[in-house]
Amino acid sequence: MDSIEERRWYIVQTYSGYENRVKANLEQRIATMGMEDRIFSVLVPVEERVSVKDGKSKKVTRKLFPSYVLVEMRLNDQSWYVVRHTPGVTGFVGSGNHPIPLTEREVREIMGKVGKEQAKPKIELNLRIGDVIKVKSGPFEGQVGPVIEVLPEKGKVKFAVTVFGRETAVETDYTELEKL
């Protein structure tokens, strides 16, 4: 294997469900084998979502790449050996014994999903256009109407209500609603 001295991110395949264990094992091996100057970061990319079901919201952490861990390292024979022989690791993503690093664009996209740029978790609503909902609280409490639009990035839902004898579109927070 050629000695590549550039600091890059690589994808390491693990046994299913072992991602966090591999991260812990690898971090321990880096410390005990003195590889801090070669292997810098181990990341299990996750995103937080808020799942809303039957009017109850629940935070859910979901792995972006099940069975994979990202490792930032300077690739050489020694660093490859340490990562490759960590318990739970099945191999690098690449061809044969030649791992292929992520591109800068891929790294930016992944870090954007797991980084500070996404402080607000995504919201999963089990509502669809046409579902009938009832408002549990707020100024429209007790109103019932069909969903017109679901806005998961805002955590809001638009629905139709009758106000002063006219049908009106109202946007409200998902936490104020329950599906009928």
Side-chain angles (χ1 to χ4, degrees), residues 15-130:
Y15 293 119
S16 181
Y18 279 65
E19 302 87 356
N20 292 327
R21 197 171 304 163
V22 164
K23 180 182 189 304
N25 287 343
L26 186 51
E27 286 171 344
Q28 183 180 4
R29 285 173 59 90
I30 292 165
T32 58
M33 298 176 95
M35 294 298 293
E36 294 91 345
D37 62 332
R38 295 257 161 238
I39 306 171
F40 307 101
S41 302
V42 183
L43 177 67
V44 178
V46 295
E47 70 178 348
E48 278 192 352
R49 291 182 172 262
V50 175
S51 181
V52 180
K53 202 169 192 175
D54 302 326
K56 294 176 179 68
S57 60
K58 181 173 96 174
K59 261 191 184 174
V60 178
T61 302
R62 185 178 73 88
K63 289 183 180 90
L64 287 176
F65 309 109
S67 301
Y68 294 97
V69 172
L70 302 182
V71 179
E72 183 184 25
M73 60 192 276
R74 285 194 176 109
L75 185 65
N76 67 8
D77 290 338
Q78 196 179 7
S79 61
W80 177 89
Y81 182 87
V82 170
V83 174
R84 180 63 188 89
H85 292 92
T86 298
V89 169
T90 59
F92 279 91
V93 171
S95 57
N97 288 345
H98 299 284
I100 298 173
L102 290 168
T103 65
E104 289 299 316
R105 188 170 150 258
E106 291 169 327
V107 171
R108 272 196 313 276
E109 283 178 19
I110 293 167
M111 295 306 169
K113 286 182 180 176
V114 300
K116 302 290 179 247
E117 298 161 38
Q118 190 185 9
K120 290 174 84 178
K122 286 186 180 173
I123 296 165
E124 288 181 5
L125 303 172
N126 67 336
L127 292 173
R128 291 191 176 80
I129 294 171

